[in-house]
Amino acid sequence: MVALVTGAQQGIGRACALGLAAAGHDVAINWLDDRAAAEAVAEAVRAAGRQAVLVQGDVGAGAAACAAVVQKAIEDFGRIDVLVNNAGIFPRVDFLAMTEADWDQVLAVNLKGSAFCAQAAARAMVAAGIKGSIMNLSSSAVRGTPVGVHYSATKNGVVGITRSMALALAPHGIRVNAIAPGLTDTAQPRYGNSDAEVRAMGAALPLGRLGTPEDIAAMAVFLASPQAAWITGQVYHVNGGGYMP
């Protein structure tokens, strides 16, 4: 079994790559701008007894770039069974100050990138007769955030494309689901917040702590497994009770 994880050089993507490796997957590690970090993830995958390859690429650069990332993984491993669309950005900006360029950048990575990576992976799965699993990363920011109108739009959009892709790909046996992390201990919540502030926000959650990247990865591992064989088109909120839709 082969998994491709986008944005896997750090954070939730890294945890997903390692979790899937521990579950028996070889892993294609997509990275953007930190080869050393990506190499460290690859070394950890190999230490778990699985194969790893690095796939550099910017999924926000358009459909051709997304297809190239998927194709490189297939060239190295011969197939793709699992895609985790994890790559995403959240540049904070006040709505009244938001520019068209701000909007376009976030939509290009978070929504367009997810859609066209999924399309490329699904095309390969269909051609090979593989009944695979695709996971798209949404967010608890679907409920809105004052400094991320563009971000919230993309994460709500991820829910929409997940449901639609699940319907489109069900005849091929390909499952598509979304994972919506809450406040997680990564670099993201520290943009504009001190470590102490982030810890306090975690302590205020019903379960009393920040999430870890491994908490999110556990859901990805489950959705990639045979135990999730009858699950598609769903959105899983992994957030310590911080948002209960």
Side-chain angles (χ1 to χ4, degrees):
M1 299 285 281
V2 174
L4 167 61
V5 182
T6 68
Q9 69 188 39
Q10 63 183 0
I12 290 171
R14 179 184 186 278
C16 287
L18 299 185
L20 288 163
H25 294 76
D26 296 325
V27 186
I29 299 159
N30 165 248
W31 61 284
L32 176 63
D33 56 8
D34 191 340
R35 185 180 183 91
E39 289 279 12
V41 178
E43 289 175 10
V45 168
R46 294 178 188 123
R50 306 309 307 178
Q51 297 183 66
V53 297
L54 298 185
V55 182
Q56 199 280 332
D58 180 1
V59 301
C66 293
V69 166
V70 172
Q71 184 57 37
K72 178 65 166 60
I74 294 170
E75 287 174 0
D76 286 331
F77 283 133
R79 61 185 292 147
I80 182 169
D81 301 273
V82 174
L83 169 68
V84 181
N85 268 320
N86 166 75
I89 58 173
F90 184 3
R92 275 66 167 172
V93 60
D94 183 84
F95 176 60
L96 296 179
M98 187 177 69
T99 67
E100 185 176 5
D102 293 328
W103 174 271
D104 289 346
Q105 179 191 26
V106 175
L107 264 71
V109 177
N110 297 4
L111 189 56
K112 186 176 180 179
S114 293
F116 282 98
C117 283
Q119 183 191 63
R123 284 174 172 171
M125 291 173 186
V126 170
I130 293 170
K131 296 181 178 180
S133 175
I134 296 172
M135 285 156 269
N136 301 316
L137 269 289
S138 181
S139 168
S140 59
V142 292
R143 61 183 170 177
T145 170
V147 292
V149 170
H150 47 1
Y151 181 77
S152 183
T154 64
K155 294 307 183 178
N156 277 282
V158 163
V159 172
I161 65 172
T162 295
R163 291 170 175 160
S164 296
M165 288 191 293
L167 293 172
L169 297 175
H172 302 286
I174 298 170
R175 299 178 295 105
V176 188
N177 292 285
I179 302 170
L183 186 69
T184 306
D185 193 5
T186 66
Q188 275 284 11
R190 289 175 171 79
Y191 294 132
N193 297 296
S194 69
D195 185 73
E197 288 169 332
V198 171
R199 297 285 172 189
M201 288 187 285
L205 292 172
L207 289 183
R209 66 169 176 87
L210 287 171
T212 68
E214 291 73 23
D215 289 324
I216 313 305
M219 180 58 71
V221 171
F222 167 69
L223 290 173
S225 76
Q227 284 71 37
W230 207 47
I231 299 174
T232 196
Q234 305 304 310
V235 182
Y236 286 90
H237 288 271
V238 185
N239 59 32
Y243 175 49
M244 302 181 186

